[in-house]
Amino acid sequence: MDLDSLKTELESNGQSQLLRYWDLLDTNSQEKLYNELKHLEYSNINKYFKQAMESLNHASDKIDDLLEPLPATVCGSVTRSSQEELKEYNRIGLEEVGNNRVAVLLLAGGQGTRLGVPYPKGMYNVGLPSGKTLYQLQAERLLRLQRLATQQTGKACTIPWYIMTSEHTKQATNDYFKQHNYFGLEKENIILFEQGLLPCIGFDGKIILANTDKVALAPDGNGGLYRALRKWNVLEDMEKRGVTNIHVYCVDNILVKMADPVFIGFCRTKNAECGAKAVEKTVPTEAVGVVCKVDGRYQVVEYSEITLKTAELRQDNGQLTFNAGNICNHYFTLDFLKHVSQVEQENQLKHHVAKKKIPYVGDDKEVVKPTEPNGIKMEKFVFDVFHFADDRSFAVWEVLREDEFAPLKNADTAAKDTPTTCREALLNLHHRYMLGAGSKFVHSDGSSLPDIPCAKKARESGDCRKGENDDHFNKCEVSPLVSYAGEGLTELLDGKKLVPPVQIVMGPTDSEPTILQDITVNGTAS
Ligand code: UTP
């Protein structure tokens, strides 16, 4: 340990308070603290803090005058494309997958503070009939997609799964996959790497001590991806494998279509290097970031950055002018990622700042949990690299929210984005898959159940017609091993009468889908 040079460095950067308890620590704790402190880049941290405070001072400034809507040339939409176009995008995407040119990259380094469980969000079980966790659903989607691509190309293929973790999630994620035998995927095709951490800083610019021997550190945001890609040589690994298309997504969207061939096909058709999936923002006040242009550059703008007047602007057809809600679902080419991950580009991405209540060690060496914000956390965001794209290289693909977006953010005590809303979104989608494949839902006496759920309000006030409030829409689940996006079910389900709850699972031989029901029509146990 070179304590003297550490002391000098801390003093010259105004951070000597970090050694405040040094003399009270035993040798082990001293070593632990020393190892943390010697890796921090103090002059950069002070620089980030200065920029962060400036941006906080301008937090209420609005950028309305700089905003431009997306040019029609970069946009495409599931609902406004013909069946032929969608089929062609799908074919192109599957061709890329089948030729081992597609990887998925999961952002899973967040602390999930709002959900409030002590393990990584991907391990969360929202209470589906199958009991599958977010990670299991994702793994099985990959397995199915590989199979679909093989059917098209006739070649065996792999979609490598890169998972960005952080100090908070790495070990548990690693253990979880191992414990579940990688859910049938090959171990070497699941590549975990770790994002960086940044210290939390008090409003006075001093780095906060979480304990006498520990700095308060937090992950550097999902935009910490670009630095982590460089540090762990992830792009070199992709290149070695021949990957050229990367689908980046967040861990918490239960409906995520990983490596979605339609999205990939669309982006490739547009020759895009950087693409975003979006859902239509329905009401002006919805708190979702929108993809648009700011001062001529592509960006995601938060609701708080614009006035209500701008948020309410509408086009001639009645749609909101700024309506491309960002759902953290991005397409990048390998070349684009190589470019934006270079130090020069990555340094241009500014930190976003959030005031937080950061636990700290007090004068009596006890940890204090503040009731008011006492400092800031600094984070980069994954979408900030849109800045480096232009009209020729950017693409936005609008999808249906009910098919593709249901994030898990909060515990069930909240009104939205909870385990319950996620579970219902997935089961509703699967109910529609089953109807689309030609089945009908019935009571055990054979009488019909309605296809369309009774609105929640009507259900609560008892205004539903008979059978509508049976809630069977929330009892139908299709294993991703059987179907990735509703395909492949007709042969099994066409003309079938199903009594919910129903699960469609892959049979024991892993080739034959099977219907699992508690009872069948006329009450016979299956
Ligand atoms: P959120 O911003 O919703 O954060 O992350 P979170 O950590 O899941 O939840 P809260 O805010 O603490 O309640 C969106 C996505 O970005 C990832 C998350 O894992 C999630 O997939 N993320 C977030 C990272 O990978 N690293 C980070 O530093 C932050």
Side-chain angles (χ1 to χ4, degrees):
M1 278 195 288
D2 184 356
L3 190 60
D4 287 340
S5 62
L6 177 65
K7 271 187 183 160
T8 314
E9 195 180 0
L10 292 178
E11 261 160 39
S12 61
N13 286 288
Q15 301 290 357
S16 302
Q17 80 290 348
L18 293 170
L19 290 176
R20 191 174 161 201
Y21 299 98
W22 184 263
D23 294 337
L24 307 175
L25 301 177
D26 62 26
T27 325
N28 278 347
S29 299
Q30 283 183 339
E31 203 169 320
K32 186 175 152 219
L33 181 62
Y34 178 84
N35 282 332
E36 253 182 15
L37 294 180
K38 82 168 184 206
H39 286 114
L40 297 181
E41 297 169 6
Y42 297 97
S43 62
N44 276 341
I45 292 166
N46 285 344
K47 189 172 82 192
Y48 301 155
F49 175 76
K50 211 166 145 234
Q51 290 166 348
M53 292 314 278
E54 269 162 29
S55 81
L56 272 186
N57 291 336
H58 291 99
S60 56
D61 293 0
K62 303 296 176 193
I63 54 171
D64 300 50
D65 294 345
L66 303 174
L67 245 60
E68 281 171 66
L70 294 169
T73 47
V74 304
C75 298
S77 151
V78 163
T79 51
R80 288 186 289 280
S81 299
S82 66
Q83 283 309 310
E84 286 69 40
E85 282 168 324
L86 292 176
K87 255 195 195 154
E88 181 57 6
Y89 294 150
N90 191 53
R91 189 197 63 74
I92 294 169
L94 282 182
E95 196 71 18
E96 292 299 301
V97 173
N99 284 299
N100 295 310
R101 291 196 289 258
V102 176
V104 287
L105 199 162
L106 166 61
L107 305 168
Q111 290 172 291
T113 41
R114 285 168 288 173
L115 184 62
V117 289
Y119 50 82
K121 246 189 216 181
M123 289 161 56
Y124 198 87
N125 162 6
V126 299
L128 294 171
S130 65
K132 287 176 187 172
T133 60
L134 297 178
Y135 276 149
Q136 183 168 1
L137 292 170
Q138 292 174 20
E140 292 185 357
R141 282 177 197 147
L142 285 180
L143 283 163
R144 172 71 188 163
L145 194 58
Q146 288 176 177
R147 188 168 282 187
L148 287 173
T150 296
Q151 276 169 15
Q152 179 173 301
T153 60
K155 300 182 207 167
C157 66
T158 299
I159 306 170
W161 190 2
Y162 295 89
I163 305 181
M164 182 175 83
T165 58
S166 66
E167 189 186 74
H168 303 276
T169 58
K170 186 167 182 194
Q171 192 59 46
T173 305
N174 204 2
D175 294 348
Y176 181 72
F177 275 98
K178 202 165 166 194
Q179 195 186 337
H180 291 89
N181 214 3
Y182 306 92
F183 296 107
L185 291 161
E186 300 291 330
K187 179 177 177 229
E188 60 273 19
N189 296 328
I190 303 183
I191 305 104
L192 265 61
F193 62 103
E194 196 176 341
Q195 72 174 101
L197 301 168
L198 272 178
C200 305
I201 308 183
F203 294 124
D204 56 0
K206 305 286 179 200
I207 295 172
I208 294 175
L209 276 176
N211 216 323
T212 49
D213 61 352
K214 185 149 187 40
V215 179
L217 293 166
D220 56 358
N222 57 24
L225 170 68
Y226 305 105
R227 180 183 266 249
L229 288 177
R230 211 168 56 226
K231 177 168 178 196
W232 299 100
N233 300 323
V234 175
L235 301 179
E236 285 78 352
D237 188 74
M238 288 179 180
E239 183 143 47
K240 250 192 252 151
R241 291 168 183 260
V243 166
T244 50
N245 311 275
I246 299 104
H247 176 224
V248 175
Y249 69 101
C250 289
V251 70
D252 49 20
N253 177 10
I254 195 166
L255 302 183
V256 65
K257 283 188 179 165
M258 304 162 72
D260 178 8
V262 177
F263 182 39
I264 290 168
F266 169 74
C267 289
R268 290 204 62 86
T269 306
K270 287 263 175 212
N271 276 326
E273 293 180 17
C274 171
K277 263 192 192 180
V279 294
E280 188 177 357
K281 185 176 160 181
T282 43
V283 284
T285 49
E286 189 184 345
V288 60
V290 285
V291 189
C292 60
K293 270 183 158 181
V294 178
D295 211 8
R297 299 280 193 169
Y298 288 100
Q299 194 174 315
V300 174
V301 169
E302 299 298 335
Y303 173 66
S304 56
E305 295 179 276
I306 52 173
T307 60
L308 179 61
K309 198 166 162 221
T310 298
E312 281 175 334
L313 287 175
R314 289 188 186 270
Q315 308 165 49
D316 292 342
N317 63 8
Q319 275 183 332
L320 292 170
T321 306
F322 299 104
N323 73 343
N326 177 48
I327 57 169
C328 193
N329 236 293
H330 308 311
Y331 168 88
F332 298 118
T333 60
L334 182 66
D335 286 342
F336 185 83
L337 280 185
K338 277 187 188 167
H339 177 64
V340 300
S341 299
Q342 287 169 21
V343 179
E344 193 190 332
Q345 277 56 246
E346 198 253 321
N347 279 345
Q348 289 176 42
L349 307 178
K350 295 273 171 298
H351 288 99
H352 299 250
V353 194
K355 292 184 186 175
K356 295 274 178 185
K357 298 172 203 160
I358 302 155
Y360 63 95
V361 60
D363 292 340
D364 55 1
K365 292 178 273 153
E366 292 297 318
V367 175
V368 182
K369 284 194 174 165
T371 50
E372 294 300 320
N374 59 331
I376 58 164
K377 276 189 187 175
M378 299 181 293
E379 294 191 334
K380 290 190 176 183
F381 290 165
V382 66
F383 51 67
D384 282 339
V385 297
F386 291 179
H387 180 87
F388 298 108
D390 59 27
D391 291 350
R392 278 163 307 158
S393 59
F394 194 64
V396 178
W397 180 238
E398 188 190 304
V399 296
L400 287 172
R401 186 185 296 245
E402 62 269 32
D403 289 358
E404 302 213 22
F405 186 54
L408 177 63
K409 299 284 183 197
N410 305 307
D412 258 331
T413 42
K416 74 188 262 247
D417 302 341
T418 63
T420 297
T421 58
C422 284
R423 183 177 64 247
E424 291 186 353
L426 187 88
L427 298 179
N428 271 272
L429 174 64
H430 289 187
H431 176 257
R432 286 185 279 121
Y433 286 167
M434 293 191 201
L435 287 177
S439 60
K440 285 296 289 174
F441 289 93
V442 295
H443 292 285
S444 57
D445 64 5
S447 61
S448 306
L449 281 161
D451 289 350
I452 300 171
C454 178
K456 194 166 173 255
K457 255 195 186 155
R459 200 185 311 161
E460 279 162 5
S461 60
D463 282 346
C464 295
R465 289 191 309 271
K466 181 182 173 302
E468 276 188 335
N469 52 2
D470 283 315
D471 231 12
H472 63 284
F473 310 99
N474 292 325
K475 292 178 179 161
C476 305
E477 186 179 356
V478 179
S479 165
L481 293 172
V482 176
S483 183
Y484 172 83
E487 81 293 337
L489 296 168
T490 312
E491 212 170 285
L492 180 73
L493 295 179
D494 195 20
K496 287 262 164 48
K497 289 186 172 179
L498 303 171
V499 184
V502 187
Q503 281 190 65
I504 310 297
V505 299
M506 195 48 102
T509 58
D510 201 25
S511 58
E512 287 300 312
T514 312
I515 304 173
L516 283 189
Q517 302 185 84
D518 293 347
I519 42 175
T520 51
V521 183
N522 295 326
T524 323
S526 61

